[in-house]
Amino acid sequence: MRSFAFKTRYYYWFFSSFIRKYGRIIIPVFIGVFLLFILFRSFGDRLLFNLNFTKRRIGLVVTGDRSRLPQEILPLISSPIVIFDEKGQVKPMLASSWESRLDGQEFIFHFQKNLVWSDGNAFTTADLDTTLFSFNGMVTVKPIDSYSVSFKFQNQLANFPSLLTTPLLKNNFIGISGNYKVGHIKAEFGEMRQIDLTPLVSGLSPLVYKLYNTNDEAILAYKMAEIDTFDTQDAQTAQLFENWRNTKVSSVFDFHRIVTMFINTQKAPFDNKNLRQALSYGINYSKLEKFVQRAHSPILPFSFAFNEGIKTYAFEPEIAKSLVDKNNATGKKITMYASYELNEIVDEFTKSFKEIGLVVDARYTGYIPTNYDMFLTVWEPNIDPDQYVFWHQTQKTGNISNMKNVRIDKLLEDGRKEMSQTKRRQIYAKFQELIAEEAPAVFLYFPKLYTINRR
């Protein structure tokens, strides 16, 4: 025992003397070695990424906020609380289950207990940025424990789970249960220019996303071999590369988006329902054949609430011209704003409406105009049939057509309160019938999404 105490004191005084004598050298060296380890580890990871010849360089046109990750990248690096299945019904993803209370005024969500963020830390509800789920203060979010959270509303909101389909992020860049993680970001003046994604699953290639402001910039980048692939909705761009020997052009219909012509229902002459219907009859849909498949409803075709039996409009120029004449609108000059990417079909609309007696003044815009007769754009409705924000007269931003109809308002209110899917289907079937009759918009077609891919 005495020998052990003696050895302990000996080593204590030995190391104390050593540190006093060489501490000023050892501590900075230790810190320097640690920093070099971190630096070279980061550099090594970056070097391995750059030397990986299987990585794919993808062009992405982003017109919105470039300080945050684009929506197209989010599903690759993270998962949402719930997802939609192929029938448009909500299924759990990060959540294990949920239940409704107070007739739909509160939902309790329970999360899986084995979730891990891409930075290696375990998930708990304390990681949630509750402000992202407050929906402008309409929802009160409160964690119950590490794996359960409560969402309370002032009014019933039976379809609330359908609003939780955006992939979760921590600190804007860290995902959960994704196949990739953000490896490196290049930015200029606070805007992202390039995003490198590192695979978390074996067998996947690294991805490099290069961000561009316009479709023309993406075309030039592809020609200069800066990128290997990009998507576009522009048919003329697809035609440009169809005969390139080293390029494959493919296309699919995007059934999540509808090319829609919104009509200002509160501005003459289209405060008259008959003239709104005249526009629907006056479009030569055969001229749009290369853009089809046609759309007839504001509710997406794979939704459980889609109504196949609603009124549809075909090209009936005689009926359209008769309605224009009877309502004293012949020769009326109307202003049609359109998104830039739809310039090709604007010409067709101008010709069609001229034949029924209307003169179109076509203008192009990158935002929703405030004073217009018609607004042609690509619209992305919710997968859930709830379209309160788009057609209820109390909605000043989402209600592009300025629709005011008490029967439609009532159906939209009832649809938000009803918990039974069968009854919701009946409510939204009637809603679609009224929309078709009132014609606040012309639902034209589902656009094609073209992929330009280097072989």
Side-chain angles (χ1 to χ4, degrees):
M1 186 68 181
R2 182 180 298 176
S3 175
F4 176 77
F6 175 79
K7 288 182 179 180
T8 301
R9 287 196 300 270
Y10 171 79
Y11 286 119
Y12 171 77
W13 290 113
F14 175 81
F15 285 112
S16 296
S17 300
F18 184 83
I19 293 298
R20 282 196 300 269
K21 186 174 182 180
Y22 299 105
R24 293 182 179 180
I25 299 174
I26 292 174
I27 294 175
V29 169
F30 177 80
I31 294 174
V33 170
F34 178 77
L35 292 176
L36 284 173
F37 173 77
I38 297 297
L39 174 65
F40 279 107
R41 183 180 179 185
S42 176
F43 176 77
D45 290 345
R46 184 73 187 143
L47 182 62
L48 288 174
F49 185 93
N50 289 331
L51 291 177
N52 191 314
F53 296 107
T54 66
K55 63 178 177 288
R56 294 289 291 168
R57 300 170 302 168
I58 304 166
L60 196 61
V61 178
V62 179
T63 57
D65 184 3
R66 295 271 287 272
S67 66
R68 306 182 70 88
L69 291 175
Q71 291 294 321
E72 292 85 349
I73 291 178
L74 296 186
L76 297 173
I77 67 170
S78 195
S79 298
I81 298 175
V82 300
I83 59 172
F84 286 106
D85 64 14
E86 65 279 359
K87 295 182 180 180
Q89 301 199 44
V90 179
K91 300 294 182 183
M93 187 63 182
L94 297 180
S96 58
S97 63
W98 64 85
E99 66 260 12
S100 170
R101 298 179 180 177
L102 306 175
D103 293 327
Q105 284 188 266
E106 180 183 16
F107 279 83
I108 306 295
F109 276 80
H110 306 286
F111 287 83
Q112 300 177 39
K113 296 184 179 181
N114 59 344
L115 300 174
V116 178
W117 294 99
S118 60
D119 63 359
N121 292 316
F123 167 87
T124 71
T125 54
D127 298 326
L128 295 176
D129 182 355
T130 57
T131 60
L132 298 178
F133 304 100
S134 67
F135 297 97
N136 297 321
M138 297 182 64
V139 181
T140 301
V141 187
K142 182 180 180 180
I144 298 173
D145 56 40
S146 295
Y147 302 103
S148 300
V149 63
S150 163
F151 300 89
K152 286 186 178 180
F153 332 107
Q154 296 177 353
N155 301 305
Q156 291 171 299
L157 193 59
N159 66 309
F160 177 73
S162 69
L163 304 179
L164 302 179
T165 56
T166 300
L168 295 184
L169 289 180
K170 183 174 69 171
N171 300 330
N172 294 329
F173 302 107
I174 300 171
I176 187 170
S177 296
N179 291 330
Y180 289 85
K181 68 176 181 179
V182 176
H184 183 72
I185 294 177
K186 289 182 181 178
E188 294 178 6
F189 308 108
E191 292 190 343
M192 297 183 191
R193 300 295 181 184
Q194 179 176 314
I195 303 168
D196 297 343
L197 300 185
T198 302
L200 296 173
V201 178
S202 62
L204 295 178
S205 298
L207 302 177
V208 178
Y209 279 88
K210 294 179 179 287
L211 278 51
Y212 303 100
N213 293 312
T214 65
N215 192 62
D216 289 340
E217 288 183 8
I219 292 173
L220 180 60
Y222 185 85
K223 289 180 176 179
M224 297 180 66
E226 291 180 2
I227 55 177
D228 303 307
T229 183
F230 72 101
D231 293 336
T232 181
Q233 294 179 14
D234 183 24
Q236 292 179 330
T237 299
Q239 294 170 4
L240 179 65
F241 293 104
E242 279 183 349
N243 296 322
W244 281 40
R245 288 184 295 177
N246 69 335
T247 296
K248 179 182 178 181
V249 178
S250 57
S251 66
V252 294
F253 287 109
D254 185 354
F255 289 106
H256 290 80
R257 291 148 63 88
I258 307 173
V259 176
T260 304
M261 184 173 68
F262 291 96
I263 306 168
N264 193 341
T265 62
Q266 300 303 308
K267 182 182 178 185
F270 297 121
D271 53 351
N272 183 331
K273 179 178 72 174
N274 293 326
L275 284 175
R276 298 198 297 270
Q277 290 183 348
L279 294 179
S280 296
Y281 285 121
I283 295 173
N284 191 344
Y285 297 101
S286 65
K287 297 292 186 179
L288 307 177
E289 285 184 355
K290 64 181 177 181
F291 303 108
V292 295
Q293 184 170 349
R294 276 284 306 276
H296 300 286
S297 167
I299 290 181
L300 298 173
F302 52 84
S303 170
F304 72 87
F306 179 70
N307 184 355
E308 296 181 353
I310 60 172
K311 176 181 180 178
T312 60
Y313 294 87
F315 180 45
E316 300 284 355
E318 294 82 7
I319 295 177
K321 192 174 189 311
S322 174
L323 289 171
V324 171
D325 290 342
K326 287 180 180 179
N327 291 277
N328 302 315
T330 301
K332 180 72 175 179
K333 185 177 181 180
I334 56 179
T335 302
M336 179 171 67
Y337 284 88
S339 301
Y340 292 105
E341 68 269 24
L342 299 176
N343 64 298
E344 193 173 354
I345 65 172
V346 168
D347 294 337
E348 297 298 337
F349 286 157
T350 302
K351 295 174 185 176
S352 294
F353 293 148
K354 183 178 180 180
E355 292 176 2
I356 65 174
L358 299 174
V359 180
V360 175
D361 176 18
R363 306 176 185 180
Y364 295 94
T365 180
Y367 55 88
I368 299 176
T370 56
N371 185 26
Y372 67 96
D373 295 307
M374 298 177 291
F375 176 44
L376 180 66
T377 190
V378 182
W379 177 50
E380 187 170 355
N382 302 327
I383 295 179
D384 186 87
D386 173 34
Q387 297 198 355
Y388 185 95
V389 298
F390 300 119
W391 307 107
H392 197 281
Q393 63 179 295
T394 61
Q395 302 302 295
K396 303 303 180 183
T397 302
N399 187 0
I400 300 175
S401 292
N402 296 315
M403 188 65 197
K404 293 183 179 181
N405 184 292
V406 292
R407 291 188 297 166
I408 289 177
D409 288 349
K410 182 65 166 57
L411 289 170
L412 292 171
E413 292 163 5
D414 291 345
R416 283 193 152 190
K417 298 175 183 177
E418 183 55 59
M419 299 297 294
S420 165
Q421 181 170 293
T422 300
K423 292 182 179 179
R424 288 190 81 208
R425 183 184 293 112
Q426 296 170 353
I427 289 170
Y428 288 113
K430 183 62 177 177
F431 159 74
Q432 290 168 84
E433 292 172 3
L434 285 177
I435 286 289
E437 178 64 26
E438 290 295 321
V442 184
F443 308 103
L444 294 162
Y445 60 88
F446 301 99
K448 278 186 178 180
L449 181 65
Y450 299 93
T451 297
I452 316 300
N453 191 51
R454 203 179 308 279
R455 296 179 189 273

